[in-house]
Amino acid sequence: MRVITDKGDMEIKAVWFEHNMVRMIDQRLIPQEFSIIDLENYLQVAECIKNMAVRGAPSIGAAAAYGIALAAINDDDLTEAAEALRSTRPTAYDLFYAIEHMLRSIELGDEPIAAADMYADQIIERCRLIGMYGASLIEEEARIMTHCNAGALATVDIGTALAPIRSAWTAGRHIYVYVSETRPRLQGMKLTAWELYNEGIPHAIIPDSASAHFMRDGVDIILVGADRIAANGDFANKIGTFDKAILANSMGIPFYVCAPLSTFDFSLTSGDQIVIEERAEEEVTMVEHIRLAPQHSVALNPSFDMTPAKYVTGFITEAGILPPTEIDRVRKFRLEEASILD
Ligand code: MRU
Protein backbone atom coordinates (compact mmCIF):
# COMPACT_ATOMS: atom_id res chain seq x y z
CA MET A 1 0.00 0.00 0.00
CA ARG A 2 1.06 3.54 -0.61
CA VAL A 3 1.66 5.55 2.56
CA ILE A 4 2.35 9.25 2.81
CA THR A 5 4.74 9.97 5.69
CA ASP A 6 6.81 12.97 6.89
CA LYS A 7 9.78 11.38 5.12
CA GLY A 8 7.94 11.00 1.82
CA ASP A 9 5.80 8.33 0.14
CA MET A 10 6.57 4.66 0.62
CA GLU A 11 5.18 1.26 -0.38
CA ILE A 12 4.65 -1.00 2.61
CA LYS A 13 2.67 -4.06 3.75
CA ALA A 14 0.72 -4.35 7.00
CA VAL A 15 2.85 -7.30 8.18
CA TRP A 16 5.99 -8.94 6.81
CA PHE A 17 9.22 -10.78 7.75
CA GLU A 18 12.59 -9.04 7.65
CA HIS A 19 15.93 -9.20 9.52
CA ASN A 20 14.80 -12.36 11.34
CA MET A 21 11.82 -10.54 12.81
CA VAL A 22 8.11 -10.23 12.15
CA ARG A 23 7.45 -6.58 11.41
CA MET A 24 4.08 -4.84 11.39
CA ILE A 25 2.50 -1.42 11.25
CA ASP A 26 1.11 -0.54 14.69
CA GLN A 27 -2.53 -0.03 13.65
CA ARG A 28 -3.47 1.33 17.08
CA LEU A 29 -1.56 4.54 16.40
CA ILE A 30 -2.72 5.42 12.89
CA PRO A 31 -3.36 8.11 11.71
CA GLN A 32 -1.57 10.13 14.42
CA GLU A 33 1.63 8.10 14.35
CA PHE A 34 3.24 5.75 11.84
CA SER A 35 5.28 3.22 13.77
CA ILE A 36 6.67 -0.25 13.04
CA ILE A 37 6.74 -3.00 15.67
CA ASP A 38 9.46 -5.70 15.57
CA LEU A 39 8.72 -9.12 17.04
CA GLU A 40 11.11 -11.96 17.77
CA ASN A 41 8.88 -14.71 19.14
CA TYR A 42 5.36 -16.11 18.84
CA LEU A 43 4.27 -14.80 22.25
CA GLN A 44 4.92 -11.24 21.09
CA VAL A 45 2.96 -11.95 17.90
CA ALA A 46 0.06 -13.34 19.96
CA GLU A 47 0.09 -10.23 22.13
CA CYS A 48 -0.07 -7.96 19.05
CA ILE A 49 -3.08 -9.87 17.69
CA LYS A 50 -4.79 -9.64 21.08
CA ASN A 51 -4.12 -5.93 21.60
CA MET A 52 -5.04 -5.21 17.96
CA ALA A 53 -1.72 -3.72 16.88
CA VAL A 54 -2.50 -6.01 13.94
CA ARG A 55 -6.16 -6.59 13.05
CA GLY A 56 -8.46 -7.48 10.19
CA ALA A 57 -9.09 -11.18 9.49
CA PRO A 58 -6.50 -11.87 6.72
CA SER A 59 -3.77 -9.78 8.42
CA ILE A 60 -4.41 -11.63 11.68
CA GLY A 61 -4.01 -14.86 9.69
CA ALA A 62 -0.72 -13.70 8.16
CA ALA A 63 0.60 -12.56 11.55
CA ALA A 64 -0.29 -15.96 13.03
CA ALA A 65 1.43 -17.71 10.11
CA TYR A 66 4.59 -15.74 10.87
CA GLY A 67 4.11 -16.49 14.58
CA ILE A 68 4.17 -20.22 13.83
CA ALA A 69 7.21 -19.72 11.59
CA LEU A 70 9.02 -17.88 14.41
CA ALA A 71 8.13 -20.67 16.82
CA ALA A 72 9.57 -23.22 14.36
CA ILE A 73 12.87 -21.41 13.82
CA ASN A 74 13.19 -20.69 17.57
CA ASP A 75 12.65 -24.40 18.32
CA ASP A 76 9.57 -23.72 20.41
CA ASP A 77 6.84 -26.27 20.95
CA LEU A 78 4.56 -25.86 17.92
CA THR A 79 1.47 -27.23 19.67
CA GLU A 80 1.86 -24.64 22.44
CA ALA A 81 2.52 -21.87 19.93
CA ALA A 82 -0.57 -22.82 17.92
CA GLU A 83 -2.69 -22.86 21.08
CA ALA A 84 -1.38 -19.44 22.21
CA LEU A 85 -2.08 -17.91 18.80
CA ARG A 86 -5.53 -19.52 18.50
CA SER A 87 -6.59 -18.12 21.88
CA THR A 88 -5.98 -14.49 20.89
CA ARG A 89 -9.26 -13.68 19.13
CA PRO A 90 -12.20 -16.01 18.50
CA THR A 91 -14.13 -14.71 15.49
CA ALA A 92 -11.84 -14.29 12.46
CA TYR A 93 -11.61 -17.69 10.73
CA ASP A 94 -8.42 -16.73 8.87
CA LEU A 95 -6.52 -17.00 12.16
CA PHE A 96 -7.42 -20.69 12.54
CA TYR A 97 -7.05 -21.40 8.83
CA ALA A 98 -3.55 -19.90 8.73
CA ILE A 99 -2.36 -21.83 11.78
CA GLU A 100 -3.58 -25.16 10.35
CA HIS A 101 -2.03 -24.30 6.99
CA MET A 102 1.35 -23.57 8.59
CA LEU A 103 1.37 -26.67 10.80
CA ARG A 104 0.66 -28.79 7.71
CA SER A 105 3.35 -27.06 5.63
CA ILE A 106 5.98 -27.50 8.32
CA GLU A 107 5.03 -31.15 8.77
CA LEU A 108 5.48 -31.61 5.02
CA GLY A 109 9.02 -30.22 5.36
CA ASP A 110 8.55 -26.69 4.04
CA GLU A 111 10.95 -24.04 5.30
CA PRO A 112 8.83 -22.13 7.89
CA ILE A 113 9.61 -18.54 6.89
CA ALA A 114 9.24 -19.31 3.18
CA ALA A 115 5.89 -20.99 3.93
CA ALA A 116 4.64 -17.96 5.91
CA ASP A 117 5.86 -15.59 3.18
CA MET A 118 4.00 -17.66 0.61
CA TYR A 119 0.86 -17.59 2.75
CA ALA A 120 1.05 -13.78 3.00
CA ASP A 121 1.72 -13.47 -0.75
CA GLN A 122 -1.32 -15.65 -1.47
CA ILE A 123 -3.53 -13.34 0.57
CA ILE A 124 -2.36 -10.42 -1.57
CA GLU A 125 -3.05 -12.36 -4.76
CA ARG A 126 -6.52 -13.31 -3.51
CA CYS A 127 -7.20 -9.63 -2.78
CA ARG A 128 -6.00 -8.63 -6.24
CA LEU A 129 -8.53 -11.02 -7.78
CA ILE A 130 -11.30 -9.77 -5.44
CA GLY A 131 -10.45 -6.28 -6.67
CA MET A 132 -10.58 -7.34 -10.29
CA TYR A 133 -13.96 -9.11 -9.99
CA GLY A 134 -15.46 -6.51 -7.66
CA ALA A 135 -14.48 -3.53 -9.83
CA SER A 136 -16.85 -4.83 -12.51
CA LEU A 137 -19.74 -3.92 -10.17
CA ILE A 138 -18.59 -0.32 -9.70
CA GLU A 139 -19.88 2.10 -12.29
CA GLU A 140 -18.63 5.52 -13.28
CA GLU A 141 -19.70 8.12 -10.65
CA ALA A 142 -20.59 5.33 -8.18
CA ARG A 143 -21.20 6.21 -4.57
CA ILE A 144 -19.94 3.39 -2.41
CA MET A 145 -20.42 2.77 1.32
CA THR A 146 -18.07 0.66 3.44
CA HIS A 147 -17.72 -0.16 7.12
CA CYS A 148 -14.78 -0.82 9.45
CA ASN A 149 -11.43 -1.32 7.72
CA ALA A 150 -11.25 -4.03 5.10
CA GLY A 151 -8.29 -2.40 3.40
CA ALA A 152 -4.60 -3.17 3.00
CA LEU A 153 -4.04 -2.84 6.74
CA ALA A 154 -6.52 -5.65 7.30
CA THR A 155 -5.18 -7.97 4.58
CA VAL A 156 -1.36 -7.52 4.35
CA ASP A 157 -1.94 -5.42 1.22
CA ILE A 158 -4.70 -4.20 -1.16
CA GLY A 159 -7.74 -5.16 0.98
CA THR A 160 -10.98 -7.02 0.47
CA ALA A 161 -13.76 -4.42 0.46
CA LEU A 162 -11.23 -1.75 -0.54
CA ALA A 163 -9.82 -3.89 -3.36
CA PRO A 164 -12.67 -3.22 -5.86
CA ILE A 165 -12.56 0.45 -4.83
CA ARG A 166 -8.81 0.66 -5.52
CA SER A 167 -9.23 -1.18 -8.84
CA ALA A 168 -12.10 1.04 -10.00
CA TRP A 169 -10.14 4.15 -9.01
CA THR A 170 -7.00 2.95 -10.79
CA ALA A 171 -9.10 2.22 -13.88
CA GLY A 172 -10.05 5.90 -13.92
CA ARG A 173 -13.59 5.74 -12.56
CA HIS A 174 -14.78 8.75 -10.61
CA ILE A 175 -16.04 7.32 -7.35
CA TYR A 176 -16.91 8.57 -3.91
CA VAL A 177 -16.68 6.51 -0.73
CA TYR A 178 -18.74 6.89 2.45
CA VAL A 179 -16.70 5.54 5.36
CA SER A 180 -18.67 4.85 8.51
CA GLU A 181 -16.67 5.72 11.60
CA THR A 182 -17.09 2.23 13.21
CA ARG A 183 -17.65 2.81 16.91
CA PRO A 184 -16.17 1.97 19.32
CA ARG A 185 -12.61 1.50 17.97
CA LEU A 186 -13.13 3.72 14.94
CA GLN A 187 -11.41 1.53 12.35
CA GLY A 188 -13.36 3.30 9.59
CA MET A 189 -12.49 6.81 10.63
CA LYS A 190 -8.89 6.08 11.61
CA LEU A 191 -7.77 3.39 9.18
CA THR A 192 -10.00 3.29 6.09
CA ALA A 193 -10.03 7.07 5.75
CA TRP A 194 -6.22 7.06 6.10
CA GLU A 195 -5.85 4.45 3.35
CA LEU A 196 -8.19 6.34 1.01
CA TYR A 197 -6.36 9.61 1.77
CA ASN A 198 -3.02 7.95 0.93
CA GLU A 199 -4.43 6.83 -2.43
CA GLY A 200 -6.15 10.15 -3.15
CA ILE A 201 -9.57 8.50 -3.40
CA PRO A 202 -12.43 10.95 -2.68
CA HIS A 203 -14.26 10.01 0.51
CA ALA A 204 -16.05 11.25 3.60
CA ILE A 205 -16.26 9.86 7.11
CA ILE A 206 -19.83 9.57 8.35
CA PRO A 207 -21.21 8.74 11.81
CA ASP A 208 -22.39 5.12 12.00
CA SER A 209 -25.86 6.46 12.76
CA ALA A 210 -25.93 8.40 9.46
CA SER A 211 -25.91 5.31 7.21
CA ALA A 212 -29.65 5.33 6.47
CA HIS A 213 -29.56 9.04 5.75
CA PHE A 214 -26.81 8.71 3.14
CA MET A 215 -28.25 5.54 1.66
CA ARG A 216 -31.54 7.30 0.97
CA ASP A 217 -29.55 10.16 -0.50
CA GLY A 218 -28.12 7.79 -3.12
CA VAL A 219 -25.59 5.09 -2.30
CA ASP A 220 -25.11 2.76 -5.30
CA ILE A 221 -23.36 -0.18 -3.68
CA ILE A 222 -22.22 -1.33 -0.24
CA LEU A 223 -18.98 -3.29 0.11
CA VAL A 224 -17.92 -4.83 3.42
CA GLY A 225 -15.43 -7.47 4.54
CA ALA A 226 -16.06 -10.54 6.67
CA ASP A 227 -14.45 -12.26 9.62
CA ARG A 228 -16.14 -15.63 9.24
CA ILE A 229 -18.65 -16.93 6.70
CA ALA A 230 -20.75 -20.02 7.47
CA ALA A 231 -21.61 -22.61 4.82
CA ASN A 232 -25.12 -21.14 4.40
CA GLY A 233 -23.79 -17.61 3.71
CA ASP A 234 -24.49 -16.08 7.12
CA PHE A 235 -21.42 -14.08 8.05
CA ALA A 236 -19.83 -12.19 10.94
CA ASN A 237 -18.23 -8.82 10.41
CA LYS A 238 -17.60 -5.70 12.46
CA ILE A 239 -20.46 -4.64 14.70
CA GLY A 240 -22.78 -2.41 12.69
CA THR A 241 -22.58 -4.45 9.48
CA PHE A 242 -25.94 -6.15 10.14
CA ASP A 243 -27.69 -2.76 10.45
CA LYS A 244 -26.31 -1.69 7.10
CA ALA A 245 -27.38 -4.94 5.45
CA ILE A 246 -30.98 -4.52 6.62
CA LEU A 247 -31.05 -0.89 5.53
CA ALA A 248 -29.59 -1.77 2.14
CA ASN A 249 -32.14 -4.54 1.69
CA SER A 250 -35.04 -2.24 2.54
CA MET A 251 -33.79 0.41 0.11
CA GLY A 252 -32.84 -1.98 -2.70
CA ILE A 253 -29.13 -1.18 -2.56
CA PRO A 254 -26.77 -4.02 -3.62
CA PHE A 255 -24.87 -5.33 -0.59
CA TYR A 256 -21.67 -7.30 -1.29
CA VAL A 257 -19.33 -9.15 1.05
CA CYS A 258 -15.71 -9.23 -0.13
CA ALA A 259 -13.65 -12.08 1.32
CA PRO A 260 -10.99 -14.62 0.39
CA LEU A 261 -11.90 -18.30 0.66
CA SER A 262 -9.76 -18.48 3.83
CA THR A 263 -12.61 -16.65 5.60
CA PHE A 264 -15.20 -19.36 4.77
CA ASP A 265 -15.75 -21.82 7.60
CA PHE A 266 -17.58 -24.69 5.92
CA SER A 267 -17.76 -26.60 9.22
CA LEU A 268 -20.49 -24.20 10.40
CA THR A 269 -23.94 -24.76 8.97
CA SER A 270 -25.22 -21.34 10.05
CA GLY A 271 -24.09 -18.02 11.47
CA ASP A 272 -25.64 -18.84 14.85
CA GLN A 273 -22.60 -21.06 15.48
CA ILE A 274 -20.13 -18.19 15.01
CA VAL A 275 -18.51 -17.05 18.26
CA ILE A 276 -18.86 -13.28 18.60
CA GLU A 277 -15.96 -11.73 20.45
CA GLU A 278 -16.91 -9.60 23.47
CA ARG A 279 -14.36 -6.90 24.14
CA ALA A 280 -13.69 -4.66 27.15
CA GLU A 281 -16.46 -2.24 28.09
CA GLU A 282 -13.86 0.54 28.34
CA GLU A 283 -13.73 0.56 24.53
CA VAL A 284 -17.30 1.87 24.68
CA THR A 285 -17.16 4.11 27.75
CA MET A 286 -13.74 5.71 27.28
CA VAL A 287 -13.08 8.15 24.50
CA GLU A 288 -9.38 8.93 24.20
CA HIS A 289 -9.02 7.56 27.74
CA ILE A 290 -11.58 9.90 29.28
CA ARG A 291 -14.57 8.05 30.69
CA LEU A 292 -17.69 9.77 29.41
CA ALA A 293 -20.32 7.34 30.72
CA PRO A 294 -21.82 7.65 34.20
CA GLN A 295 -19.66 5.71 36.69
CA HIS A 296 -22.22 2.98 37.42
CA SER A 297 -23.52 2.37 33.90
CA VAL A 298 -22.25 -0.80 32.28
CA ALA A 299 -21.45 -1.02 28.59
CA LEU A 300 -21.82 -4.00 26.25
CA ASN A 301 -19.21 -4.36 23.55
CA PRO A 302 -19.79 -7.14 21.01
CA SER A 303 -17.00 -6.66 18.49
CA PHE A 304 -18.85 -8.30 15.59
CA ASP A 305 -22.39 -9.03 14.51
CA MET A 306 -23.84 -11.78 12.37
CA THR A 307 -25.69 -10.90 9.18
CA PRO A 308 -28.03 -13.58 7.77
CA ALA A 309 -27.30 -14.65 4.20
CA LYS A 310 -30.68 -13.38 2.97
CA TYR A 311 -29.33 -9.81 3.13
CA VAL A 312 -26.28 -10.54 0.95
CA THR A 313 -26.46 -9.79 -2.77
CA GLY A 314 -23.23 -11.65 -3.41
CA PHE A 315 -19.85 -12.75 -2.11
CA ILE A 316 -16.88 -11.33 -4.02
CA THR A 317 -14.07 -13.89 -3.74
CA GLU A 318 -10.87 -14.74 -5.60
CA ALA A 319 -12.96 -17.37 -7.42
CA GLY A 320 -15.47 -14.85 -8.72
CA ILE A 321 -18.77 -13.44 -7.49
CA LEU A 322 -21.38 -15.82 -6.20
CA PRO A 323 -24.75 -15.55 -4.46
CA PRO A 324 -25.09 -17.02 -0.93
CA THR A 325 -26.99 -20.02 -2.33
CA GLU A 326 -23.93 -21.04 -4.37
CA ILE A 327 -21.24 -20.91 -1.71
CA ASP A 328 -20.91 -24.67 -1.78
CA ARG A 329 -19.35 -24.43 -5.24
CA VAL A 330 -16.15 -22.98 -3.74
CA ARG A 331 -15.80 -25.51 -0.92
CA LYS A 332 -12.93 -27.30 -2.65
CA PHE A 333 -11.68 -24.32 -4.56
CA ARG A 334 -8.00 -23.42 -4.27
CA LEU A 335 -6.06 -20.38 -5.42
CA GLU A 336 -4.14 -22.20 -8.14
CA GLU A 337 -7.45 -22.99 -9.84
CA ALA A 338 -8.67 -19.39 -9.66
CA SER A 339 -10.93 -18.40 -12.50
CA ILE A 340 -14.30 -16.75 -12.69
CA LEU A 341 -17.09 -19.15 -11.81
CA ASP A 342 -19.29 -19.99 -14.70
O1 MRU B 1 -11.82 -6.09 15.11
P1 MRU B 1 -11.17 -5.95 13.76
O2 MRU B 1 -10.70 -4.57 13.45
O3 MRU B 1 -10.10 -7.00 13.55
O4 MRU B 1 -12.34 -6.29 12.75
C1 MRU B 1 -12.09 -6.24 11.38
C2 MRU B 1 -13.30 -6.43 10.56
O5 MRU B 1 -14.39 -6.63 11.06
C3 MRU B 1 -13.09 -6.45 9.08
O6 MRU B 1 -14.20 -5.94 8.42
C4 MRU B 1 -12.87 -7.90 8.66
O7 MRU B 1 -11.83 -8.48 9.38
C5 MRU B 1 -12.59 -8.02 7.22
S1 MRU B 1 -10.95 -7.48 6.92
C6 MRU B 1 -10.57 -7.70 5.33
Side-chain angles (χ1 to χ4, degrees), residues 31-49:
Q32 281 81 11
E33 241 181 83
F34 183 74
S35 170
I36 306 299
I37 304 178
D38 294 333
L39 309 168
E40 290 172 351
N41 61 58
Y42 77 83
L43 288 170
Q44 292 171 332
V45 175
E47 186 51 34
C48 282
I49 297 174

Side-chain angles (χ1 to χ4, degrees), residues 40-42 66-82 106 111-113:
E40 290 172 351
N41 61 58
Y42 77 83
Y66 283 121
I68 294 286
L70 274 183
I73 62 172
N74 289 343
D75 272 335
D76 293 322
D77 184 307
L78 284 189
T79 310
E80 276 173 26
I106 291 169
E111 197 285 310
I113 301 300

Side-chain angles (χ1 to χ4, degrees), residues 52 55-58 60 89 92 147-151 154-155 159-161 185 187 224-227 237-239 258 277 279 303-304:
M52 294 180 66
R55 34 74 42 211
I60 291 172
R89 295 192 73 188
H147 187 56
C148 193
N149 172 262
T155 66
T160 52
R185 288 189 68 104
Q187 290 96 326
V224 297
D227 281 83
N237 191 47
K238 182 52 55 196
I239 192 80
C258 308
E277 177 181 15
R279 294 189 60 87
S303 192
F304 302 95

Side-chain angles (χ1 to χ4, degrees), residues 249-299:
N249 184 266
S250 81
M251 291 188 223
I253 301 169
F255 181 93
Y256 284 92
V257 179
C258 308
L261 297 179
S262 51
T263 308
F264 287 72
D265 182 356
F266 293 109
S267 74
L268 305 184
T269 51
S270 94
D272 294 333
Q273 296 155 352
I274 299 176
V275 176
I276 301 291
E277 177 181 15
E278 295 280 341
R279 294 189 60 87
E281 64 180 293
E282 285 72 24
E283 289 186 353
V284 177
T285 55
M286 311 273 284
V287 173
E288 299 302 330
H289 304 295
I290 302 164
R291 186 178 168 104
L292 297 180
Q295 199 61 42
H296 298 294
S297 299
V298 297

